[in-house]
């Protein structure tokens, strides 16, 4: 394979790779660091405490990428696990609204609360925005996994002005390619192994003050302590004052990756990244006469094209009965042209 340079980093497998909504490709600087870390593990010289700084750096970079305070960010293993803490905290009988066909890690934690009288209603995107104040909680992805549809966050924010509705927004399919400013949202959550290009095993969650006040740290553990290396043994309970009290202990290689790719992505010109990714996606929509909208994910209404694309050297996936492709910063016009040629 030939390495491709993008935004100052090298990516080995980028040629024809349009499957970032499933998992992102690691830049070479991350692969090198992981290999060094695995070598230290193999040699018995790896120090667990050495992952504290990567956790700190990854947390700060997630805050920068989403526009939230760093002290509001907690670390977990995956999106459903962190949102499970949120769902367990909403009052009995809460009315929850979501989008029809929403990714289940965003909805199942709330649907699992039905024994407490919690109800979850599926709505179209326009209905969700228009009726948001009728509900106690809104839980939805900013960008839909299945088809790349983007939720109108400006309209949602305006519609909720002055309301008590809690907002829970999964940004997994947005953060990394889309400019975000979500300090007003009660909860954001994202897995890092897609557009954030790091190894699977870590998710970040931000919490507003009013959300964190009603939550219980059900997974309280030594790493959620104010000084984790002093909270390994014995009572009493002594947790961090900020959102770190909801932390899970770090998945070592994953959090190492987060400390490298997230700060790098945060250092880039976010407008340029979004222009590049959405520009390629909208050129594809124009070529295929699909409706234009500003998303890096494109749903192509053919269900049986993946093998044909694979033979052409294109890697994609099928979701909701259609071929799904995603354009990230390492993709080029060559990938798009090859995809269009294969489809035709």
């Amino acid at each position: 394979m030939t390495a491709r340079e993008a935004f100052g980093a090298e990516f080995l497998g980028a040629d024809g790779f349009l499957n970032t909504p499933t998992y992102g490709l690691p830049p070479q600087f991350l692969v090198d660091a992981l290999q060094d870390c695995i070598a230290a593990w193999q040699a018995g010289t790896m120090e667990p405490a050495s992952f504290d700084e990567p956790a700190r750096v990854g947390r700060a970079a997630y805050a920068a990428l989403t526009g939230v305070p760093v002290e509001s960010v907690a670390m977990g293993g995956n999106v459903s696990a962190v949102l499970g803490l949120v769902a367990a905290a909403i009052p009995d009988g809460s009315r929850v609204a979501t989008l029809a066909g929403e990714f289940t890690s965003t909805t199942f934690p709330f649907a699992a609360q039905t024994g407490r009288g919690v109800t979850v209603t599926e709505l179209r995107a326009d209905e969700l925005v228009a009726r948001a104040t009728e509900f106690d909680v809104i839980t939805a992805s900013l960008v839909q996994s299945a088809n790349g549809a983007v939720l109108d966050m400006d309209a949602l924010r305006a519609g909720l002005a002055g309301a008590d509705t809690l907002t829970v927004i999964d940004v997994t399919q947005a953060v990394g390619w889309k400019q975000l400013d979500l300090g007003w949202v009660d909860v954001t959550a994202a897995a890092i192994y897609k557009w954030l290009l790091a190894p699977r095993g870590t998710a970040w969650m931000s919490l507003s003050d009013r959300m964190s006040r009603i939550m219980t740290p059900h997974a309280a553990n030594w790493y959620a302590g104010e000084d984790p290396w002093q909270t390994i043994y014995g009572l009493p309970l002594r947790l961090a004052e900020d959102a770190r009290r909801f932390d899970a202990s770090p998945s070592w290689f994953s959090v190492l990756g987060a400390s490298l790719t997230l700060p790098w992505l945060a250092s880039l010109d976010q407008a340029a990244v979004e222009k590049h990714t959405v520009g390629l996606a909208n050129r594809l929509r124009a070529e295929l006469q699909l409706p234009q909208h500003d998303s890096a994910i494109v749903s192509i209404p053919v269900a049986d094209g993946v093998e044909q694309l694979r033979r052409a050297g294109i890697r994609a996936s099928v979701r909701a009965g259609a071929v799904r492709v995603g354009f990230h910063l390492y993709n080029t016009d060559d990938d798009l042209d090859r995809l269009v040629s294969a489809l035709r």
Side-chain angles (χ1 to χ4, degrees):
M1 289 186 287
T2 303
R4 176 182 288 177
E5 184 172 330
F7 289 80
E10 285 192 344
F11 296 87
L12 189 58
D15 186 27
F17 185 84
L18 295 175
N19 205 20
T20 303
T22 302
Y23 66 90
L25 297 179
Q28 188 60 46
F29 63 77
L30 168 56
V31 174
D32 293 341
L34 284 174
Q35 289 175 337
D36 290 344
C37 190
I38 290 170
W41 175 31
Q42 185 178 37
T45 58
M46 185 179 73
E47 294 292 340
S50 68
F51 296 98
D52 291 351
E53 180 63 8
R56 185 195 67 78
V57 171
R59 191 188 314 270
Y62 177 78
L65 285 164
T66 54
V68 302
V70 66
E71 63 272 13
S72 76
V73 178
M75 176 176 62
N78 54 62
V79 167
S80 62
V82 294
L83 292 189
L85 296 176
V86 174
I90 64 174
D92 292 357
S94 291
R95 299 158 300 165
V96 180
T98 190
L99 292 168
E102 179 60 80
F103 189 68
T104 54
S105 289
T106 308
T107 56
F108 275 13
F110 296 90
Q113 306 298 316
T114 55
R116 301 194 291 115
V118 173
T119 59
V120 182
T121 302
E122 292 183 299
L123 301 170
R124 297 192 314 269
D126 57 340
E127 291 180 312
L128 185 76
V129 171
R131 296 178 54 192
T133 56
E134 299 176 21
F135 296 90
D136 302 301
V137 181
I138 300 295
T139 182
S141 294
L142 197 159
V143 175
Q144 286 295 299
S145 169
N147 57 21
V150 180
L151 184 62
D152 188 339
M153 294 296 289
D154 290 338
L156 181 64
R157 183 180 188 179
L160 288 173
D164 292 329
T165 305
L166 292 166
T167 49
V168 180
I169 304 297
D170 182 346
V171 297
T172 298
Q173 294 289 5
V175 63
W177 69 263
K178 184 172 179 59
Q179 297 183 86
L180 302 177
D181 185 9
L182 300 176
W184 64 275
V185 173
D186 289 294
V187 180
T188 74
I192 67 170
Y193 68 97
K194 297 178 186 285
W195 302 89
L196 294 175
L197 312 179
R200 184 180 174 104
T202 298
W204 299 105
M205 170 175 67
S206 67
L207 299 167
S208 67
D209 288 342
R210 67 168 180 163
M211 188 70 244
S212 63
R213 281 196 300 269
I214 66 172
M215 287 172 56
T216 299
H218 292 292
N221 64 93
W222 70 279
Y223 206 80
E226 186 63 44
D227 181 357
W229 294 99
Q230 300 303 315
T231 50
I232 298 175
Y233 302 113
L235 291 171
L237 181 70
R238 46 204 190 276
L239 299 179
E241 292 295 322
D242 61 12
R244 291 186 300 111
R245 68 183 180 275
F246 301 107
D247 274 7
S249 58
S251 176
W252 290 339
F253 303 128
S254 180
V255 82
L256 172 63
S259 75
L260 297 172
T261 59
L262 271 67
W264 174 67
L265 288 164
S267 76
L268 301 178
D269 182 335
Q270 301 299 301
V273 172
E274 184 168 346
K275 180 180 179 181
H276 172 78
T277 57
V278 174
L280 287 170
N282 273 336
R283 187 189 145 199
L284 174 63
R285 293 185 182 98
E287 292 275 1
L288 301 181
Q289 298 182 330
L290 298 173
Q292 297 283 301
H293 64 276
D294 292 337
S295 176
I297 298 174
V298 183
S299 179
I300 305 169
V302 293
D304 57 354
V306 169
E307 284 303 320
Q308 178 182 344
L309 295 179
R310 187 174 289 116
R311 289 193 295 271
I314 295 291
R315 284 151 289 163
S317 58
V318 173
R319 293 293 186 274
V323 170
R324 182 188 69 180
V325 298
F327 294 90
H328 206 358
L329 44 71
Y330 40 64
N331 292 119
T332 67
D333 286 327
D334 289 342
D335 300 323
L336 191 152
D337 292 339
R338 189 190 302 179
L339 171 63
V340 171
S341 177
L343 290 170
R344 288 176 175 168

